[in-house]
Amino acid sequence: MRKFILIWFGQLVSTIGTYMTDFALTLWAWEITHSATALALMGFFSQLLRIPVNLLSGIIVDNINRKFLMILGDAISAFFTIIIGFLFITNNLQIWHLYLIASLNGIFGEIQRLAYQTSVTLIVPKSEYTRANSLNSSVHYGSAIFAPALAGILFPLINLSGILVIDFITFLIALFTLFIINIPQPSTSDYFRKNTTNKLTFGFRYVWKNRYLWNTLILSAIFWFLHDLGASVDEAMILVHSNNDSQVLGLILSSAGIGGVTGAIFLSWWGGTKNRLQGMSLGFMGAGIAKTVFGLGRNSAVWLPAQFCSSLNFPLLGSSETAFWMENVSPEIQGRVFASNNLILQIVSAIASLLGGILADRIFEPWMMTDNIFSPLFGTQKGAGMSLLYVLCSVGMFFVGLWGWYSRKRMRN
């Protein structure tokens, strides 16, 4: 596990810097637009070019040195950080710049993420898959603890340009850890070197022929569609209900990080369920319940514990999902199979991100300004429509988990 731990540490440090920048850019975008659609579009554009690149990312990862691809992805991200900093200090930064950079960064970020994901099986024993994936979950949640708090403290002192410098330094740390570690590269058959058509369609055909894999992918796709649809409006919802209080938003993000790290630590000790689909379903249901409570809340007294409980479930569901695919797909074809799965999930996520802001601003918000059957629960004030949309998505997430729980044995057929 020593190789994995070193690479994991570099990714943790880098992600803290990235999340600091994301937090600062979210506040900047909200200040100039006050639009849920504008924030949701940032998520949409980050996924936009990931979709076509996924057609080739599996082939690239299975045929090109994965260490090189990880280094390239981090280097490109550092370059785009410099671009944003230059635009900001010259007073030329506009919202469309963030959309464009998010789209371009998504290309290399997707390849880097896939190279990292498929390298885990080459440097970690099979018995440690769940623990390794729970540590990977803690990269996200550990960063979410510190990044909002640090950004909130430093932003008034060093503004966005200073935070971007910190982000750039963290990229250098991640690059250093990758340079000093040797990552094995799996062998590739001559058949796949010669047959381009089979390369492009292999992952889809492999999953389609295995009904257990296909049914599990459909279950995940529905869950993540509902999750991302609600997530596309959650920051705008919080800012509206908190009277644009960035400290409240930062505390909620930190609470998410604490919950996620707590869940990851517990999962590392426990090892997870033997039935991976069972672990996914439990996580789906737990997240759905906690997010429903969150959406019904109007202040930090409800939001903070609800967010903690929500994030507590994601290391379990995420690690179970990743371990499921690692155990059912051999390492030499994981790049193509994982890329095919990612393509489907990213299409779902992009659609959800695009719909979220539009549904909130054009349908749910105007509708909730008048009395209706949901008014006694959500009110008629600004933000009520976003809360209703968020709760509907959360309830749907619970029922997806319930479906997975009761059908986990039949899904093999």
Side-chain angles (χ1 to χ4, degrees):
M1 291 282 286
R2 285 184 297 177
K3 287 184 179 180
F4 171 77
I5 292 295
L6 186 58
I7 297 174
W8 169 86
F9 174 75
Q11 296 302 306
L12 173 63
V13 173
S14 176
T15 305
I16 289 174
T18 300
Y19 282 17
M20 289 177 67
T21 297
D22 289 346
F23 182 80
L25 289 175
T26 296
L27 295 179
W28 178 84
W30 178 256
E31 287 177 358
I32 66 172
T33 65
H34 286 278
S35 168
T37 301
L39 297 189
L41 284 175
M42 292 176 69
F44 168 74
F45 281 107
S46 69
Q47 297 288 347
L48 184 61
L49 295 185
R50 290 175 184 261
I51 295 172
V53 81
N54 250 318
L55 292 170
L56 296 173
S57 62
I59 302 172
I60 293 170
V61 167
D62 282 343
N63 290 276
I64 298 178
N65 186 277
R66 294 176 181 178
K67 174 179 175 178
F68 168 76
L69 294 174
M70 292 166 67
I71 292 173
L72 178 64
D74 279 336
I76 294 296
S77 294
F79 172 74
F80 284 129
T81 297
I82 295 173
I83 295 297
I84 294 174
F86 175 77
L87 291 171
F88 178 77
I89 61 177
T90 57
N91 295 318
N92 289 314
L93 184 62
Q94 299 180 36
I95 191 71
W96 70 266
H97 291 140
L98 301 185
Y99 297 157
L100 177 61
I101 290 174
S103 297
L104 296 175
N105 200 26
I107 298 174
F108 302 97
E110 176 58 27
I111 295 173
Q112 192 267 358
R113 189 198 60 77
L114 186 61
Y116 176 71
Q117 184 182 20
T118 55
S119 294
V120 172
T121 55
L122 301 173
I123 59 178
V124 173
K126 186 175 182 180
S127 60
E128 300 294 336
Y129 282 176
T130 298
R131 288 186 173 88
N133 286 315
S134 69
L135 283 171
N136 282 336
S137 296
S138 70
V139 169
H140 164 68
Y141 291 109
S143 302
I145 294 174
F146 301 108
L150 288 173
I153 293 171
L154 295 175
F155 189 77
L157 302 175
I158 60 177
N159 63 49
L160 179 59
S161 59
I163 290 178
L164 291 171
V165 170
I166 295 174
D167 190 12
F168 179 75
I169 293 172
T170 63
F171 277 124
L172 295 180
I173 295 173
L175 287 169
F176 175 75
T177 62
L178 290 171
F179 272 115
I180 63 175
I181 290 295
N182 176 51
I183 299 175
Q185 184 76 7
S187 60
T188 306
S189 67
D190 290 336
Y191 176 75
F192 285 111
R193 288 194 183 97
K194 297 175 182 178
N195 197 319
T196 303
T197 302
N198 276 283
K199 286 180 179 181
L200 289 172
T201 62
F202 174 79
F204 297 103
R205 290 184 289 107
Y206 184 88
V207 175
W208 176 257
K209 290 177 181 178
N210 187 319
R211 302 310 296 172
Y212 188 38
L213 298 182
W214 177 251
N215 290 335
T216 303
L217 178 59
I218 293 299
L219 185 74
S220 295
I222 297 173
F223 172 83
W224 288 111
F225 173 80
L226 293 169
H227 174 274
D228 292 349
L229 184 60
S232 66
V233 301
D234 62 355
E235 291 179 341
M237 180 184 72
I238 294 165
L239 289 169
V240 168
H241 286 309
S242 66
N243 195 26
N244 298 324
D245 192 332
S246 61
Q247 291 185 349
V248 170
L249 178 60
L251 284 173
I252 292 170
L253 295 176
S254 294
S255 179
I258 295 170
V261 168
T262 303
I265 292 172
F266 175 74
L267 190 62
S268 297
W269 168 78
W270 172 31
T273 59
K274 292 183 179 179
N275 186 311
R276 305 304 186 187
L277 187 55
Q278 184 182 56
M280 288 170 57
S281 300
L282 285 171
F284 290 169
M285 288 188 285
I289 293 171
K291 285 183 175 294
T292 299
V293 175
F294 185 93
L296 293 171
R298 294 293 178 274
N299 53 60
S300 57
V302 176
W303 289 332
L304 292 175
Q307 184 63 69
F308 173 87
C309 292
S310 171
S311 299
L312 200 65
N313 294 277
F314 280 85
L316 173 61
L317 72 87
S319 297
S320 298
E321 185 175 6
T322 304
F324 169 86
W325 290 99
M326 286 181 172
E327 290 173 353
N328 287 278
V329 180
S330 56
E332 64 271 14
I333 61 172
Q334 282 182 2
R336 281 155 287 175
V337 174
F338 287 9
S340 299
N341 295 350
N342 291 341
L343 176 60
I344 293 173
L345 295 178
Q346 283 166 1
I347 291 173
V348 164
S349 179
I351 293 171
S353 298
L354 182 61
L355 287 176
I358 297 172
L359 288 174
D361 286 338
R362 303 292 179 85
I363 298 176
F364 281 85
E365 281 291 295
W367 183 47
M368 289 302 293
M369 293 294 180
T370 59
D371 287 330
N372 56 69
I373 58 173
F374 295 107
S375 297
L377 192 59
F378 295 96
T380 58
Q381 74 283 1
K382 188 176 181 181
M386 287 185 277
S387 296
L388 173 60
L389 176 59
Y390 189 90
V391 168
L392 291 176
C393 292
S394 302
V395 172
M397 289 162 57
F398 170 80
F399 281 106
V400 170
L402 198 64
W403 172 33
W405 177 268
Y406 284 107
S407 62
R408 63 187 187 277
K409 294 181 180 179
R410 296 194 298 272
M411 288 177 69
R412 289 183 178 273
N413 301 320

